[in-house]
Amino acid sequence: MVPRIHKKGKSFRGAAMYVLHDKDKAQTDERVAWTQTRNIGVDDPHTAWKIMAATSMDQDRLKSEAGVPNTGRKSKDHVLHLTLSWHEQEAEGLTQDEMMRAVNQAIHQLDASDRQALIAAHNDTAEPHVHILINRVSPDDGRLLSSSNEKLKLSAWAEHYEKERGEVLCEARVINN
Protein backbone atom coordinates (compact mmCIF):
# COMPACT_ATOMS: atom_id res chain seq x y z
CA MET A 1 0.00 0.00 0.00
CA VAL A 2 1.36 3.37 -0.99
CA PRO A 3 -0.56 6.40 0.27
CA ARG A 4 0.31 9.63 -1.52
CA ILE A 5 -0.85 13.09 -0.54
CA HIS A 6 -0.94 15.43 -3.50
CA LYS A 7 -0.45 19.19 -3.25
CA LYS A 8 -3.46 20.83 -1.68
CA GLY A 9 -5.54 22.91 -4.05
CA LYS A 10 -8.28 25.47 -4.42
CA SER A 11 -10.34 23.96 -7.25
CA PHE A 12 -12.77 21.14 -6.60
CA ARG A 13 -13.72 21.32 -10.27
CA GLY A 14 -10.13 20.82 -11.45
CA ALA A 15 -9.48 17.95 -9.05
CA ALA A 16 -12.79 16.29 -9.91
CA MET A 17 -12.20 16.60 -13.66
CA TYR A 18 -8.87 14.82 -13.18
CA VAL A 19 -10.21 11.94 -11.08
CA LEU A 20 -13.53 11.51 -12.93
CA HIS A 21 -12.22 11.57 -16.50
CA ASP A 22 -9.44 10.17 -18.64
CA LYS A 23 -6.16 12.06 -18.69
CA ASP A 24 -6.35 15.08 -21.01
CA LYS A 25 -9.86 14.06 -22.14
CA ALA A 26 -12.48 15.76 -20.03
CA GLN A 27 -15.27 14.09 -21.99
CA THR A 28 -14.34 10.42 -21.46
CA ASP A 29 -14.15 8.36 -18.29
CA GLU A 30 -12.96 4.91 -19.36
CA ARG A 31 -10.32 4.73 -16.64
CA VAL A 32 -12.89 5.23 -13.85
CA ALA A 33 -13.87 1.82 -12.46
CA TRP A 34 -16.30 3.12 -9.80
CA THR A 35 -17.05 6.10 -7.59
CA GLN A 36 -18.49 6.70 -4.14
CA THR A 37 -19.24 9.71 -1.98
CA ARG A 38 -19.24 10.35 1.77
CA ASN A 39 -21.12 12.88 3.89
CA ILE A 40 -22.66 14.58 0.87
CA GLY A 41 -26.14 13.09 0.45
CA VAL A 42 -25.82 12.35 -3.26
CA ASP A 43 -24.21 9.52 -5.18
CA ASP A 44 -23.59 11.38 -8.45
CA PRO A 45 -19.89 12.39 -8.42
CA HIS A 46 -20.44 15.45 -10.64
CA THR A 47 -23.05 16.81 -8.26
CA ALA A 48 -20.89 15.84 -5.28
CA TRP A 49 -17.91 17.98 -6.23
CA LYS A 50 -20.23 20.96 -6.79
CA ILE A 51 -21.66 20.53 -3.29
CA MET A 52 -18.12 20.28 -1.91
CA ALA A 53 -17.18 23.53 -3.70
CA ALA A 54 -20.31 25.25 -2.36
CA THR A 55 -19.47 24.15 1.19
CA SER A 56 -15.94 25.48 0.74
CA MET A 57 -17.17 28.86 -0.51
CA ASP A 58 -19.61 29.03 2.40
CA GLN A 59 -16.93 28.65 5.08
CA ASP A 60 -17.41 32.09 6.67
CA ARG A 61 -21.20 31.67 6.96
CA LEU A 62 -20.82 28.16 8.41
CA LYS A 63 -18.43 29.47 11.06
CA SER A 64 -20.74 32.38 11.89
CA GLU A 65 -23.83 30.18 12.26
CA ALA A 66 -21.92 27.70 14.43
CA GLY A 67 -20.63 30.48 16.69
CA VAL A 68 -17.04 29.78 15.67
CA PRO A 69 -14.80 32.87 15.57
CA ASN A 70 -13.51 33.69 12.10
CA THR A 71 -9.94 33.26 13.26
CA GLY A 72 -7.48 30.39 13.07
CA ARG A 73 -5.78 28.92 10.04
CA LYS A 74 -6.33 30.99 6.91
CA SER A 75 -6.06 28.97 3.75
CA LYS A 76 -7.96 28.76 0.51
CA ASP A 77 -6.43 25.33 -0.18
CA HIS A 78 -9.58 23.43 0.74
CA VAL A 79 -9.05 20.42 -1.55
CA LEU A 80 -7.16 17.50 -0.01
CA HIS A 81 -6.34 14.94 -2.72
CA LEU A 82 -4.77 11.63 -1.84
CA THR A 83 -4.17 8.37 -3.66
CA LEU A 84 -4.01 4.87 -2.23
CA SER A 85 -2.16 2.42 -4.49
CA TRP A 86 -1.79 -1.32 -4.10
CA HIS A 87 1.05 -3.36 -5.55
CA GLU A 88 0.25 -4.93 -8.92
CA GLN A 89 0.65 -8.40 -7.39
CA GLU A 90 -2.34 -7.53 -5.16
CA ALA A 91 -4.59 -6.70 -8.14
CA GLU A 92 -6.04 -10.17 -8.48
CA GLY A 93 -8.71 -10.61 -5.87
CA LEU A 94 -8.73 -6.98 -4.71
CA THR A 95 -12.39 -6.04 -4.33
CA GLN A 96 -14.19 -2.73 -4.19
CA ASP A 97 -15.16 -3.57 -0.61
CA GLU A 98 -11.50 -4.03 0.37
CA MET A 99 -10.53 -0.80 -1.37
CA MET A 100 -13.31 1.06 0.46
CA ARG A 101 -12.21 -0.49 3.74
CA ALA A 102 -8.77 1.01 3.16
CA VAL A 103 -10.29 4.35 2.09
CA ASN A 104 -12.39 4.52 5.25
CA GLN A 105 -9.40 3.69 7.44
CA ALA A 106 -7.20 6.30 5.73
CA ILE A 107 -9.89 8.98 6.06
CA HIS A 108 -10.33 8.08 9.73
CA GLN A 109 -6.56 8.25 10.26
CA LEU A 110 -6.61 11.84 8.99
CA ASP A 111 -9.45 12.72 11.40
CA ALA A 112 -11.60 13.50 8.35
CA SER A 113 -14.48 11.06 8.93
CA ASP A 114 -16.91 13.98 9.23
CA ARG A 115 -15.74 15.65 5.98
CA GLN A 116 -17.25 15.48 2.54
CA ALA A 117 -15.36 13.12 0.25
CA LEU A 118 -15.43 11.92 -3.34
CA ILE A 119 -13.75 8.60 -4.09
CA ALA A 120 -12.85 7.33 -7.58
CA ALA A 121 -11.08 4.07 -8.43
CA HIS A 122 -9.03 3.96 -11.62
CA ASN A 123 -8.17 0.96 -13.78
CA ASP A 124 -5.62 2.57 -16.11
CA THR A 125 -2.46 1.15 -14.51
CA ALA A 126 -1.23 -2.26 -13.40
CA GLU A 127 -1.37 -1.03 -9.81
CA PRO A 128 -4.94 -0.76 -8.54
CA HIS A 129 -5.47 2.68 -7.05
CA VAL A 130 -8.14 4.96 -5.71
CA HIS A 131 -8.26 8.75 -5.55
CA ILE A 132 -9.86 10.49 -2.59
CA LEU A 133 -10.89 14.14 -2.66
CA ILE A 134 -11.66 15.50 0.80
CA ASN A 135 -13.18 18.87 1.56
CA ARG A 136 -11.01 20.33 4.33
CA VAL A 137 -13.86 22.68 5.31
CA SER A 138 -16.26 21.15 7.81
CA PRO A 139 -19.87 21.27 6.59
CA ASP A 140 -20.93 21.52 10.24
CA ASP A 141 -18.94 24.50 11.48
CA GLY A 142 -16.64 25.71 8.68
CA ARG A 143 -13.44 24.77 10.50
CA LEU A 144 -10.47 23.75 8.39
CA LEU A 145 -9.09 20.22 8.70
CA SER A 146 -5.61 20.23 10.18
CA SER A 147 -2.82 19.02 7.94
CA SER A 148 -0.39 18.36 10.80
CA ASN A 149 1.55 15.13 10.46
CA GLU A 150 -0.78 13.78 7.77
CA LYS A 151 2.06 12.02 5.92
CA LEU A 152 3.29 10.38 9.13
CA LYS A 153 -0.24 9.33 10.06
CA LEU A 154 -0.81 7.72 6.66
CA SER A 155 2.59 6.04 6.67
CA ALA A 156 1.94 4.43 10.06
CA TRP A 157 -1.54 3.41 8.93
CA ALA A 158 -0.21 1.90 5.67
CA GLU A 159 2.35 -0.18 7.59
CA HIS A 160 -0.41 -1.47 9.89
CA TYR A 161 -2.67 -2.13 6.88
CA GLU A 162 -0.01 -4.21 5.12
CA LYS A 163 0.70 -6.23 8.29
CA GLU A 164 -3.03 -6.79 8.74
CA ARG A 165 -3.26 -8.12 5.18
CA GLY A 166 -0.40 -10.53 5.85
CA GLU A 167 2.55 -9.15 3.88
CA VAL A 168 4.66 -6.02 4.24
CA LEU A 169 5.50 -4.91 0.70
CA CYS A 170 7.27 -1.68 1.64
CA GLU A 171 10.17 -2.52 3.96
CA ALA A 172 11.59 1.02 3.70
CA ARG A 173 8.44 2.38 5.33
CA VAL A 174 8.88 0.04 8.30
CA ILE A 175 12.44 1.32 8.77
CA ASN A 176 11.33 4.96 8.45
CA ASN A 177 8.43 4.53 10.85
Side-chain angles (χ1 to χ4, degrees), residues 45-173:
H46 295 283
T47 303
W49 75 257
K50 291 174 186 172
I51 293 171
M52 293 168 76
T55 301
S56 170
M57 290 186 283
D58 225 11
Q59 181 182 27
D60 290 341
R61 183 189 62 80
L62 290 167
K63 280 185 172 184
S64 175
E65 288 182 1
V68 175
N70 199 5
T71 58
R73 289 183 300 278
K74 299 290 183 194
S75 174
K76 294 295 179 188
D77 293 333
H78 296 171
V79 182
L80 174 59
H81 176 196
L82 57 134
T83 309
L84 303 180
S85 301
W86 286 260
H87 193 279
E88 63 183 88
Q89 75 187 36
E90 296 178 284
E92 188 176 324
L94 186 63
T95 65
Q96 180 177 340
D97 286 342
E98 179 57 28
M99 293 174 92
M100 278 307 300
R101 186 175 80 85
V103 165
N104 290 329
Q105 288 179 0
I107 289 173
H108 177 76
Q109 196 67 31
L110 294 172
D111 298 320
S113 296
D114 64 334
R115 304 304 161 116
Q116 298 166 328
L118 171 61
I119 300 109
H122 286 178
N123 57 16
D124 61 338
T125 63
E127 298 84 16
H129 63 283
V130 63
H131 293 265
I132 308 165
L133 300 181
I134 298 173
N135 189 351
R136 294 181 65 214
V137 174
S138 168
D140 297 327
D141 61 15
R143 292 183 192 195
L144 195 62
L145 180 68
S146 173
S147 59
S148 295
N149 299 316
E150 58 193 6
K151 288 182 181 181
L152 292 173
K153 290 175 183 177
L154 284 179
S155 180
W157 165 77
E159 179 182 345
H160 174 77
Y161 178 81
E162 284 188 343
K163 287 178 179 175
E164 184 180 79
R165 288 188 41 123
E167 183 179 7
V168 174
L169 297 169
C170 186
E171 293 293 337
R173 177 182 22 250

